[in-house]
Amino acid sequence: MNHTVRYWQSLTTPEIRDAVAADPVAILPLAAVEQHGPHLPLETDRIIGDGLIGEAFRQLPGTFPAWVLPAITVGASSEHGAFPGTLSLDAETLIQVICAHGRAVAASGVRRLVLSNSHGGNRAAMDVAALRLRQECGLLVVKASYFRFPQPEPSALDAHELRHGLHGGTLETAMMLHLAPDAVRREHLFHAVSLGEALERDCRYLGPEGAGAFAWLAEDLNLAGVTGDASRADADTGARLVAHFGGVLATLIQETRGFPLDALGGETLR
């Protein structure tokens, strides 16, 4: 197994040519710098995203042709704009930044790109950028948001927390306690009750996420800007989640490498 993340920017130009000749997978991390309540730092999404990529590389074969691009650290975080410290790109700017990275690696000869995303607010821009890159550059673009991965079996979190702990709850806090324990302000761990919990008593489909999701700002769901029970988080649960999500990402990277590009219509027409 490989225990070292392989970074695109560590190579020289001749080494890039050799790496591209192996038909590698390029991985573009997408994160955010935004408020995560009183208990987690602004860089939470970046730390979790890096941790999952590191775990994925620990589970990949040592010679596997995959390279990690420099992360897009600031994402689309307008829903957190009311809170000091949040940095955000508007959606179209983020789309353009993702596309610029994709076009550059495609120009170098890369054909397979994984967008490894650790922030929910990036999803809309990621969807648009992925389709543009497919259309303009012929890239296979895989959208990988860890919070959409299947949960471990048995689940590390109960169904209620999975539905409502959307930001700064047990999930993120547990992974942070594993990945960066000194960054967690343990004295501020609390249960932030979400508006979604009240709505589900009367609404069958309408809620912050799900079949009838409404657009929300972080303060709409809880005035503290977070939702979920951070007080229930522990490092052992975080280690289990990181190992599981990192394993899913490793498998997805391998499946991206094995995907038959000639199965895509645009390739068969060229």
Side-chain angles (χ1 to χ4, degrees):
M1 294 296 177
N2 181 20
H3 294 275
T4 303
V5 177
R6 303 168 73 188
Y7 290 103
W8 177 270
Q9 62 267 31
S10 70
L11 300 175
T12 65
T13 294
E15 290 168 345
I16 285 287
R17 294 192 184 104
D18 291 341
V20 168
D23 191 18
V25 177
I27 302 158
L28 178 58
L30 308 178
V33 177
E34 63 184 26
Q35 68 85 22
H36 273 78
H39 57 294
L40 295 176
L42 301 173
E43 62 176 342
T44 290
D45 291 339
R46 195 273 306 165
I47 291 172
I48 290 174
D50 285 354
L52 297 183
I53 288 174
E55 180 62 31
F57 271 78
R58 278 187 283 275
Q59 298 189 36
L60 285 170
T63 59
F64 192 85
W67 298 90
V68 179
L69 301 167
I72 300 177
T73 302
V74 176
S77 297
S78 59
E79 70 273 23
H80 300 284
F83 295 86
T86 295
L87 304 179
S88 182
L89 303 177
D90 64 75
E92 184 55 38
T93 299
L94 180 56
I95 291 166
Q96 292 292 345
V97 172
I98 295 171
C99 286
H101 284 70
R103 293 185 190 108
V105 296
S108 295
V110 170
R111 303 187 297 166
R112 306 168 192 271
L113 177 65
V114 171
L115 305 179
S116 183
N117 177 42
S118 55
H119 168 51
N122 290 339
R123 286 178 297 173
M126 180 173 65
D127 286 345
V128 174
L131 186 56
R132 286 188 189 175
L133 288 171
R134 173 67 200 136
Q135 186 174 40
E136 295 175 14
C137 302
L139 282 169
L140 170 66
V141 186
V142 177
K143 300 171 289 184
S145 295
Y146 82 84
F147 42 83
R148 289 197 161 181
F149 291 172
Q151 289 289 313
E153 293 292 343
S155 179
L157 283 74
D158 62 45
H160 183 86
E161 182 67 16
L162 286 172
R163 284 197 307 277
H164 300 296
L166 301 178
H167 187 65
T170 306
L171 181 74
E172 287 187 312
T173 305
M175 288 194 287
M176 286 293 290
L177 285 169
H178 169 63
L179 293 168
D182 292 343
V184 180
R185 282 64 164 175
R186 298 168 193 257
E187 69 276 16
H188 294 304
L189 298 178
F190 73 111
H191 182 191
V193 179
S194 172
L195 172 63
E197 297 180 55
L199 288 175
E200 74 175 2
R201 292 195 292 266
D202 300 311
C203 298
R204 184 175 180 184
Y205 298 117
L206 179 65
E209 299 289 334
F214 60 86
W216 50 265
L217 302 174
E219 63 269 27
D220 292 336
L221 304 187
N222 184 287
L223 290 177
V226 290
T227 61
D229 193 353
S231 67
R232 295 171 55 192
D234 63 85
D236 288 344
T237 299
R240 184 177 171 218
L241 288 166
V242 168
H244 172 73
F245 291 140
V248 175
L249 181 58
T251 300
L252 189 54
I253 292 168
Q254 291 174 298
E255 291 176 350
T256 301
R257 176 61 166 69
F259 186 92
L261 295 178
D262 58 3
L264 298 174
E267 294 295 325
T268 60
L269 297 176
R270 294 178 184 210

